[in-house]
Amino acid sequence: MSSTAIFEHSFYIGSYLSGILYGLDLAMYYMTIRNQVATVPSRRSFAIYGFSTALLILVSIDVSTNAIFGEQAWITFRNTPGGPPVWILEHTGIWYQSLSTASVAGLIYMSDGFLIYRFFIIWGSRYMLIILPSLVYLAGMSMAILEIITTAVPGGTFFSRKTIKFGLPYYTLSIALNIILTSCIVGRILFLYRRVHASLGYEAARVYTGVLSILIESAALYSIIGFMTIIPYGINAPTSIAFGQVWSKLAAISPQLILFRVSSGRGWTKDTVAQVQSGLASELVFETPSSQQPPDMEYVTDYHDLPRGINPKNSASQSTENCQSSRV
């Protein structure tokens, strides 16, 4: 099988998988925005609105440009001399594919930056810890800009040697950064698990430190697929297009899943980490949209705060007796 035929198969499979992941991203975006609409407007709410919408726009550009490329190769220009293989070879560097490359670079830029932010939050908001990751992040972005320029010039393609010369170090830096940050986040959550488990018990602590929570908070799947992408791309294998399409969609889904957990009151926040670190895990509360909270309801957590002469246990028993007598 020729390399062009392998590329066609890989592009076709990657496009189908991308469509599935794009549907998942749309669903997560809708649920995240719905949760935020139900809360009191705040700076965090507007940040989630803006970040989620930007991710959705970029991933939509990537999906639509790839769909147009496949449509033109296999349907619109299928009768050109040499058929789709020749058309693909001659039009890999078409302008909207350069736009697709730029949108993917934007997705990776936002996703990597967001992962650094999550690392910063979960590790107790220590600025010293993010100096080195930030430098690697900026170095990778400089490579990404050069890659976009080489694909945009006449005759430039995503798989040309000149593009790979900038693209390979770019993806290597990005994926290496993801793997390191993912490992650090997983280790930190497992370290905090003991405190949360001791204070809240297994069932409640599972919300913050369960397997699913660790996988989402650390963006583990994004890092794993990224590692699987860099290997075929480094040897210029046509199959890299399939892995690349899936990886680019996960660059949008992984942050969106974290934002959904935060909007649902189940994600790690700066306040959550501070409470656990200070030994106040027993006071952790799950945030819920304000529209779901009963109005004018207060919860007393300390009996010493009650007025003198009132025993909460006696009050509860008296209320039960009154209800029973009223039924009689």
Side-chain angles (χ1 to χ4, degrees):
M1 185 180 294
S2 65
S3 60
T4 306
I6 296 175
F7 175 85
E8 289 186 69
H9 282 82
S10 301
F11 187 86
Y12 180 80
I13 294 172
S15 297
Y16 259 84
L17 294 176
S18 295
I20 296 172
L21 295 174
Y22 182 61
L24 175 60
D25 186 59
L26 286 173
M28 297 307 304
Y29 174 80
Y30 167 75
M31 290 189 290
T32 301
I33 298 301
R34 184 185 62 180
N35 286 342
Q36 288 304 123
V37 169
T39 62
V40 178
S42 62
R43 286 193 303 174
R44 189 179 75 175
S45 298
F46 291 115
I48 291 177
Y49 289 145
F51 195 85
S52 297
T53 303
L55 287 174
L56 182 63
I57 292 173
L58 289 174
V59 75
S60 298
I61 292 175
D62 182 41
V63 170
S64 59
T65 51
N66 286 330
I68 294 172
F69 185 79
E71 179 190 18
Q72 292 194 339
W74 295 317
I75 299 175
T76 306
F77 300 105
R78 63 183 300 175
N79 295 323
T80 55
V86 174
W87 190 92
I88 290 174
L89 287 174
E90 294 178 350
H91 295 82
T92 305
I94 198 167
W95 69 269
Y96 53 78
Q97 281 299 327
S98 298
L99 178 62
S100 176
T101 302
S103 67
V104 171
L107 284 171
I108 297 174
Y109 173 80
M110 295 182 67
S111 185
D112 289 358
F114 186 73
L115 191 58
I116 293 176
Y117 171 74
R118 295 301 295 173
F119 169 77
F120 172 74
I121 292 296
I122 293 176
W123 275 84
S125 302
R126 303 171 186 174
Y127 287 97
M128 290 295 296
L129 294 178
I130 63 171
I131 293 177
L132 183 58
S134 299
L135 293 176
V136 175
Y137 173 70
L138 293 175
M141 287 305 102
S142 63
M143 293 292 102
I145 294 173
L146 294 174
E147 181 199 34
I148 295 172
I149 293 174
T150 54
T151 58
V153 297
T157 67
F158 183 74
F159 294 99
S160 65
R161 291 185 178 180
K162 191 174 183 180
T163 302
I164 293 178
K165 186 174 73 172
F166 297 114
L168 186 59
Y170 161 47
Y171 294 125
T172 301
L173 287 172
S174 175
I175 293 167
L177 178 64
N178 292 336
I179 293 174
I180 293 173
L181 293 178
T182 295
S183 302
C184 291
I185 291 174
V186 170
R188 182 63 172 172
I189 293 177
L190 291 176
F191 174 78
L192 295 175
Y193 168 78
R194 297 180 180 179
R195 293 189 179 185
V196 180
H197 182 269
S199 301
L200 297 178
Y202 172 75
E203 290 298 330
R206 187 173 59 178
V207 175
Y208 285 103
T209 58
V211 175
L212 183 60
S213 172
I214 292 175
L215 289 176
I216 293 176
E217 292 286 350
S218 63
L221 191 58
Y222 173 59
S223 299
I224 293 172
I225 300 300
F227 179 75
M228 295 172 64
T229 302
I230 195 64
I231 297 175
Y233 181 75
I235 61 176
N236 200 18
T239 54
S240 63
I241 190 65
F243 291 101
Q245 288 197 61
V246 174
W247 184 46
S248 63
K249 307 311 173 292
L250 289 175
I253 292 175
S254 294
Q256 195 63 63
L257 284 171
I258 297 174
L259 292 173
F260 171 69
R261 283 181 58 85
V262 171
S263 66
S264 302
R266 294 173 176 268
W268 286 91
T269 64
K270 185 180 296 186
D271 294 336
T272 305
V273 174
Q275 289 177 355
V276 173
Q277 287 181 333
S278 61
L280 300 177
S282 58
E283 298 180 6
L284 285 175
V285 293
F286 300 114
E287 298 177 4
T288 55
S290 57
S291 61
Q292 299 176 6
Q293 297 177 354
D296 301 328
M297 181 175 292
E298 297 181 356
Y299 297 93
V300 179
T301 58
D302 191 350
Y303 293 155
H304 297 291
D305 295 335
L306 291 171
R308 293 184 178 180
I310 297 180
N311 189 321
K313 296 182 179 180
N314 293 339
S315 300
S317 60
Q318 290 175 4
S319 299
T320 304
E321 293 175 359
N322 294 336
C323 290
Q324 292 176 349
S325 61
S326 62
R327 292 178 180 176
V328 176

